[in-house]
Amino acid sequence: MSDNSAHPGQPPRARSWPRLALVLAAAGSLVVGTMIAFTPNASAGTTLGASAAEKGRYFGTAVAANKLSDSTYVGILNREFNSVTAENEMKWDATEPSQNQFNYANADRIVNSARANGQQVRGHALAWHSQQPGWAQNMSGTALRNAMLNHVTQVATYYRGKISAWDVVNEAFADGGGGGRRDSNLQRTGNDWIEAAFRAARTADPGAKLCYNDYNTDGQNAKSNAVYAMVQDFKARGVPIDCVGFQSHFNAQSPVPNDYQANLQRFANLGVDVQITELDIEGSGTTQANNFGRVVQACLAITRCTGITVWGIRDTDSWRASGTPLLFDGSGNKKAAYTSTLNALNSGGNPITTPPTPPTTTPPPPTTTPPPGGAGCSASVSLNSWTGGFVATIRVTAGSSGTNGWTVTTTLPAGATVTNTWNATASGNSGNVQFRNVSYNGRLTAGQTTEFGFQGTGSATGMTPSCTAS
């Protein structure tokens, strides 16, 4: 961040990360005690951006407009990176400080500098619960929804053709074991707000990749499973989403997870690009260098991992500067982490000392239960299951009379629990559970279909839903 105190996706008071150097992790982690040996190929790039470009990828950094007068900063920026992301200058409070009065001056400085130097630009971020202007913080309901959609439309339209990818929605899922949505003023406008933002962004800037971006989703956990379920649902229903961003902020208390590559791969298997969007790794020396190398190597191993962005240039530019988490020291000198990163890029996917955990978590192809009969409506379920959890997608089909509303009832097997629901309202979370339509998908004409979904723990094999029309 520009003030070196706040997380790029969190206000200063919302999340505090320990500022400790990385240490060797416990047995089973990805950290090893000696430098990983990479063998650069014959056409090895001499800078991060050039090497990444040889692999068809980008290597970028977050940029603060107020540092563009710093010659050391700009020298490294233009030499090493082929992609930039504005740290704060494209966020809601910066671009629309007063309602319907837009200010792009600082964002334009970054965009114009990048384009003059042949660098692509990632847009960050159109809709987010944090760093909202005061006028938006005081809104709710339909007024806030309309203001958010207007903001997405205006900013994406202004930069149409200049942005390679937009972080359309940032950090919409909660931390903790539940895997649910974050409670925010935007979430309280309706569970479909993320979908609405993506649809507005596609209309405004059809050429840009549209991404969902979040933190603490780097390995498989309840939060990443919830994001996975949303992306899977979006892809199934044709909601425009092209990529998922993984912030990848690591330290000794939150190290590179063993299943990092496998987790990225399972998202790529959904048919979206994956991008490492805000990478920084606290520490120094060999340990830090090894971890940067491993992250790069994981990306190179995945065809749809299209690029990496580090969140800042020099350690002193970082939002957690005391943890020295970047590739250049405060004077602009290359660190061991820089060398490891460049060597990893140049290795072109060569094996590393400790292979990542095999991707065992990719869900199997869905199994479909035929819909039962019924004059009013019918329901069918498709399951994607993994050990300990599942995502159920239920399709509701209106009968010959159509529906003004519908209720789907299903009995979950013993031990199964609903943890997250979208496009419906659930009553109960285990045993006999009812799902009712929400405001926008209850009225169906004869033969028309709609879908809703839910994520759960346990197993849902054998679940048979029934539908009642109203």
Side-chain angles (χ1 to χ4, degrees):
M1 295 286 288
S2 57
D3 62 1
N4 289 335
S5 64
H7 176 261
Q10 286 291 112
R13 63 183 178 276
R15 183 164 85 250
S16 175
W17 290 75
R19 300 174 180 269
L20 300 176
L22 273 173
V23 294
L24 293 179
S29 78
L30 290 177
V31 181
V32 297
T34 57
M35 184 72 74
I36 299 168
F38 296 94
T39 304
N41 58 33
S43 60
T46 58
T47 67
L48 302 170
S51 182
E54 289 178 354
K55 313 302 182 300
R57 293 167 168 85
Y58 66 82
F59 200 98
T61 188
V63 173
N66 64 1
K67 292 189 172 74
L68 292 178
S69 58
D70 181 328
S71 59
T72 301
Y73 182 95
V74 172
I76 300 171
L77 168 63
N78 292 340
R79 181 187 75 232
E80 295 289 343
F81 300 100
N82 61 353
S83 174
V84 303
T85 302
E87 282 192 49
N88 295 294
E89 291 81 354
M90 287 188 177
K91 293 173 182 174
W92 197 347
D93 60 349
T95 51
E96 194 182 2
S98 298
Q99 189 169 13
N100 285 321
Q101 296 181 12
F102 292 86
N103 183 349
Y104 301 108
N106 285 327
D108 281 348
R109 289 182 63 194
I110 294 172
V111 172
N112 294 339
S113 172
R115 288 168 62 82
N117 287 282
Q119 298 157 320
Q120 68 180 44
V121 181
R122 291 192 79 260
H124 176 78
L126 291 173
W128 184 31
H129 69 276
S130 188
Q131 288 187 244
Q132 295 177 1
W135 63 266
Q137 295 175 35
N138 293 326
M139 280 184 164
S140 61
T142 301
L144 177 61
R145 171 69 69 92
N146 291 340
M148 179 272 291
L149 293 176
N150 179 67
H151 177 80
V152 169
T153 298
Q154 295 298 326
V155 176
T157 298
Y158 179 84
Y159 284 111
R160 180 186 295 169
K162 297 180 179 180
I163 303 297
S164 61
W166 277 108
D167 290 331
V168 178
V169 171
N170 197 45
E171 300 180 359
F173 285 83
D175 289 314
R181 293 281 186 88
R182 178 189 299 276
D183 180 30
S184 71
N185 60 349
L186 290 171
Q187 178 63 27
R188 290 190 292 273
T189 70
N191 205 50
D192 63 330
W193 76 271
I194 300 176
E195 175 178 342
F198 272 84
R199 293 191 184 280
R202 174 67 87 225
T203 300
D205 191 357
K209 297 280 190 179
L210 305 183
C211 306
Y212 176 78
N213 190 55
D214 216 326
Y215 67 95
N216 285 352
T217 55
D218 305 292
Q220 183 171 351
N221 54 40
K223 186 174 182 180
S224 66
N225 285 343
V227 176
Y228 180 96
M230 180 190 73
V231 176
Q232 184 182 51
D233 171 59
F234 280 12
K235 294 296 290 184
R237 295 190 296 108
V239 179
I241 185 168
D242 305 304
C243 41
V244 177
F246 298 82
Q247 294 185 14
S248 297
H249 298 291
F250 299 125
N251 58 17
Q253 286 68 42
S254 181
V256 183
N258 288 326
D259 61 349
Y260 185 64
Q261 180 179 320
N263 187 55
L264 297 179
Q265 183 66 64
R266 70 169 177 147
F267 277 87
N269 290 345
L270 291 176
V272 293
D273 293 340
V274 293
Q275 301 176 349
I276 300 168
T277 55
E278 302 181 17
L279 177 64
D280 49 25
I281 305 176
E282 291 188 358
S284 61
T286 299
T287 301
Q288 182 185 48
N290 276 328
N291 279 283
F292 266 103
R294 292 182 184 284
V295 170
V296 173
Q297 202 68 9
C299 179
L300 291 177
I302 298 169
T303 303
R304 297 200 68 153
C305 184
T306 56
I308 298 170
T309 298
V310 289
W311 205 253
I313 296 177
R314 302 164 298 193
D315 286 334
T316 48
D317 302 317
S318 171
W319 64 285
R320 46 181 184 169
S322 65
T324 61
L326 296 173
L327 303 178
F328 298 85
D329 67 20
S331 299
N333 299 312
K334 298 173 182 177
K335 297 166 56 177
Y338 172 92
T339 302
S340 179
T341 298
L342 182 61
N343 286 345
L345 288 167
N346 284 332
S347 73
N350 290 342
I352 57 177
T353 304
T354 304
T357 304
T360 58
T361 58
T362 301
T367 57
T368 303
T369 301
C377 58
S378 60
S380 62
V381 59
S382 295
L383 288 177
N384 276 325
S385 302
W386 59 87
T387 303
F390 63 90
V391 169
T393 302
I394 295 184
R395 172 170 290 188
V396 176
T397 303
S400 57
S401 300
T403 68
N404 290 318
W406 46 261
T407 300
V408 170
T409 303
T410 191
T411 301
L412 297 180
T417 301
V418 176
T419 59
N420 189 27
T421 303
W422 52 96
N423 297 327
T425 300
S427 297
N429 61 5
S430 62
N432 194 51
V433 183
Q434 288 189 331
F435 300 90
R436 291 182 174 83
N437 64 276
V438 289
S439 61
Y440 53 83
N441 63 2
R443 186 181 296 274
L444 303 175
T445 59
Q448 188 177 7
T449 64
T450 189
E451 289 184 340
F452 70 92
F454 61 94
Q455 181 179 344
T457 58
S459 172
T461 302
M463 180 177 61
T464 304
S466 62
C467 184
T468 303
S470 58

